Amino acid sequence: MTNLPPPAEELRLLDAELRQLDLRRAALLHRRAWLIHVLRAAAQGPGPGSGASPKGGPPSAGAGAVARRPEATAPGVQNVLLMLGGVLLTVAAIAFTLVSWGHLGIAGRALVLGALTVAALGAPVVLLRRGLRSTAEAVAALGTALTVLDAYALHEVALAGTGAVGYTAAASAVLAALWGAYGAATRSPVPPAIEGSAAPGAAPAVRRARAGLRHPVPLAVATAHLPLLLWAVAAGAGPYGLTAVLLATATASTAVALRTASLPVRVVAVTGASGMGAAGVLSAGWLCWSASDPGSAARAAGLLAVAAAVALVTGRFVKNPDVAVAFASAAGLSLVAGTGGVLWVSLPGEWTVPGCLACGIALLTAQRTPLPRPLVRGLVHASTAVQCCAVLWAVPLVAGTVSGPAALGARPWSGTPRDIREAVFTDVSWPPYASTVPLVLAAVTGVLLVAGRNTARRSPLTVGALVLGWAAVTVLPVVLRLPYGAGLVAQGAVVVAALGFAVRAGRADRWPSPPALTALLLALLSSVGLAFLSLGSAEATIGVLASLTVLFGAAACRPGPAPFAAPAALAHATALACAIGAWADRPPHHTALLVLVVPAVAAVCAGRTGPRATVPVEVAGGVAGLLACALAVTDLPVLALVLSVCGVVAAGTALRPERRPAGWAAAVLFLLAAWVRLAAWDVVVPEAYTLPVTVPALVVGLLRRRRDTAVSSWTAYGAGLSVTLVPSLLAAWDDRYWLRPLLLGAAALAVTLVGARHRLQAPLVVGGGVLALVTLHELAPYLVQVVGALPRWAPLALAGLVLLGLGATYEQRLRDARRLREALGRLG
């Protein structure tokens, strides 16, 4: 069978084909005129002015632009002219009605307007029969404008005493009916030429399609949205009546949009239904949530229920699945909004959100009904939106419960609170209507668990259920206002449950599975909150930190959670050491010695944990060591001891083959410990600080050169020699005694001789330079005396002689400097 387009689409195609035929006909007529001209010219003989080519082709460019296409099509020009004419006539009619109306009598006025209106409305019928559709549309538009002027004139002359709003409602109803009837009456059979061009397989009903004016029916549908609303306003209807009118008008417009096959009418109906429906639903929602008594709220909820029913019916008959889903979602949200408004007035405020949530969860039962799939999806989307809003409503209480205990860190052990809420919400405000938050979170958790069974989205739904369930049990002690001790026990149970689930899920699934990792992170977050919450009393702090250390230490024995549990155990152990020191009323530098147990334990455990937990454990131990150093910084002897112990721990770590570089850290720590110890003894001799660095550095350089002869002496010995010789040289320069320069000169001479003996560049240059500077420093007083004894012209003369000598032997000096550089370069 032939797939035929709708009548309106087929008519548009036929109009386009006719326009193409008109253009082709014009071109052929032009060609015919040119051929006649050529024949006449041939009969009369060729003349000098003839435009014909010798071969009988078309004329040249100078004979006329035959092939030039027009810049505007004939239908376009026709439409522009008709539109301008209709606008001018409409303006003239308005001007006549408003200005010249008073110069005529009643009979004259009626005669003029009646004649104009009848003529403007009757002419399109004749024009349509003759196929002049565009002209008919322009004249009909003038006629419809005249009907509006007729209604205005009738009110001004005969019905001036009636109310403007009521008369406008009646006039809009009459005009809508008149325009609709006029649009239906002007439909005429398709001309025989168009009917004969229909496809051979077309049905007879299609071939007898009727074509009429385009604008009257859409204009009638648009105007039909006004009468009922205007009548309600004129009758003094209240907000409930106006809302009902809006919804009724939207319902009627929706029915028109579903039933009509005309695209313009459908567009107008859909636009009107959307605007009226949205206004009605918003008005009903505002009335429902602002009602002062249950009866008023129930009336508004009934309006929302009607809107929801209309939306569901509309979604049932809409062909586009996405539009049907949107209508069903709007219906579900309207039902929930109505239920929430009634609950807001009827019950305490705490039960409004749980009631809305219950209604939203009830929407999920649509999955068990025979409703079409798009409607079910829309109701499920509405339920999801309601549950998300309920969870967002619970966020302030959860955030306050998690962050509130941190305020106790500013005033630890200031007194045991009376209950857990006082401990948590001392510096954080309590959210209103929050007593039902655990119920809401538990309900959404249950929905996620049920939805995650036997589905491909089980893992993300399980993660969401874990988070919401954790939030529910976390805020439950605060909501119930449990005693302080009972609240600590409840929070500890949350940590144990989350950690146990993480360990179990890590064994059952391939670690790290999203649920197991989520549970472990929740356990860590809860443990931090519990640690802050225990700062109400010293006994509670020590007990909680000890329990958390043991708990996470036991969980670290499993390879799965070990990368997270082991550092957590060390962190809690560090906090426990600080708490014990504070409880024993010991100074911070004594507490630092207790904190050093944590780096030692971390160094021992790092080699026995799995490869993924080694680095986190070592980082946690290093942080504990830094904390110990910070605590001991006020007492230098204890700081030296702490640094020494840290060096021992680092040296023990370096015994493992994969941690050999830790030996450098151990050496640095030992050196820092020695320096701090010397500073504690008030030692100011720089050699005491530099020699502990120089000796190991020279030993290391010697061993390295023995393994690799390609290593230069600067790399092996330069840093070690400079660390001692340079500071000693600076100290000797200001030293007024002879012992330091003597010892420094002797040491520099020895280093120079060793460099010369073994042909090493670094000892030779560093030792020789220091020896020369020491000698210069020692001879400086005598040189000053000599210079002072000589006449003032003697230094100038001596400088001149030196310059003359250098200038005379310049090339020889350059060769000597080059030989010296080459000799030094040949040294190691």
Side-chain angles (χ1 to χ4, degrees), residues 321-675:
D322 295 333
V323 177
V325 169
F327 273 107
S329 301
L333 293 176
S334 299
L335 291 174
V336 174
T339 304
V342 174
L343 292 176
W344 175 254
V345 180
S346 305
L347 298 176
E350 289 82 358
W351 295 100
T352 302
V353 174
C356 293
L357 179 61
C359 185
I361 294 174
L363 294 177
L364 296 176
T365 57
Q367 297 175 331
R368 305 287 184 178
T369 61
L371 288 175
R373 186 63 182 170
L375 297 184
V376 174
R377 287 174 51 202
L379 293 176
V380 171
H381 290 172
S383 176
T384 303
V386 172
Q387 296 178 56
C388 292
C389 292
V391 171
L392 291 177
W393 170 75
V395 165
L397 180 61
V398 177
T401 304
V402 173
S403 61
L408 293 175
R411 51 179 187 278
W413 303 345
S414 58
T416 303
R418 290 177 298 178
D419 54 46
I420 195 68
R421 183 184 295 187
E422 181 181 346
V424 174
F425 285 92
T426 301
D427 297 335
V428 181
S429 60
W430 177 259
Y433 309 116
S435 60
T436 55
V437 167
L439 178 61
V440 170
L441 294 175
V444 180
T445 301
V447 171
L448 292 179
L449 290 176
V450 173
R453 294 184 304 177
N454 302 323
T455 61
R457 299 178 300 168
R458 180 179 180 181
S459 181
L461 291 177
T462 303
V463 169
L466 277 174
V467 174
L468 295 180
W470 167 83
V473 297
T474 299
V475 301
L476 183 60
V478 180
V479 171
L480 297 179
R481 302 195 72 143
L482 295 179
Y484 180 68
L488 292 179
V489 173
Q491 295 291 347
V494 173
V495 178
V496 173
L499 195 58
F501 180 86
V503 173
R504 182 178 179 182
R507 290 187 299 173
D509 303 335
R510 184 176 178 270
W511 187 273
S513 63
L517 184 58
T518 302
L520 184 56
L521 295 177
L522 293 176
L524 292 173
L525 182 59
S526 296
S527 68
V528 174
L530 179 59
F532 277 109
L533 194 60
S534 66
L535 292 176
S537 64
E539 294 77 7
T541 303
I542 294 175
V544 166
L545 291 176
S547 301
L548 292 176
T549 301
V550 174
L551 180 62
F552 281 96
C557 297
R558 301 288 183 181
F564 298 91
L570 294 174
H572 290 305
T574 304
L576 176 62
C578 295
I580 292 175
W583 175 71
D585 199 17
R586 306 304 303 171
H589 56 272
H590 289 175
T591 304
L593 298 176
L594 187 59
V595 174
L596 285 177
V597 177
V598 177
V601 173
V604 174
C605 295
R608 291 173 172 78
T609 57
R612 293 187 299 112
T614 301
V615 174
V617 169
E618 291 175 347
V619 170
V623 172
L626 290 177
L627 177 60
C629 295
L631 292 174
V633 74
T634 57
D635 191 279
L636 294 182
V638 177
L639 178 60
L641 179 60
V642 170
L643 291 172
S644 300
V645 174
C646 291
V648 172
V649 173
T653 303
L655 295 178
R656 305 205 317 263
E658 71 278 7
R659 290 291 183 266
R660 296 300 187 196
W664 297 102
V668 171
L669 290 172
F670 285 133
L671 177 62
L672 291 177
W675 285 357

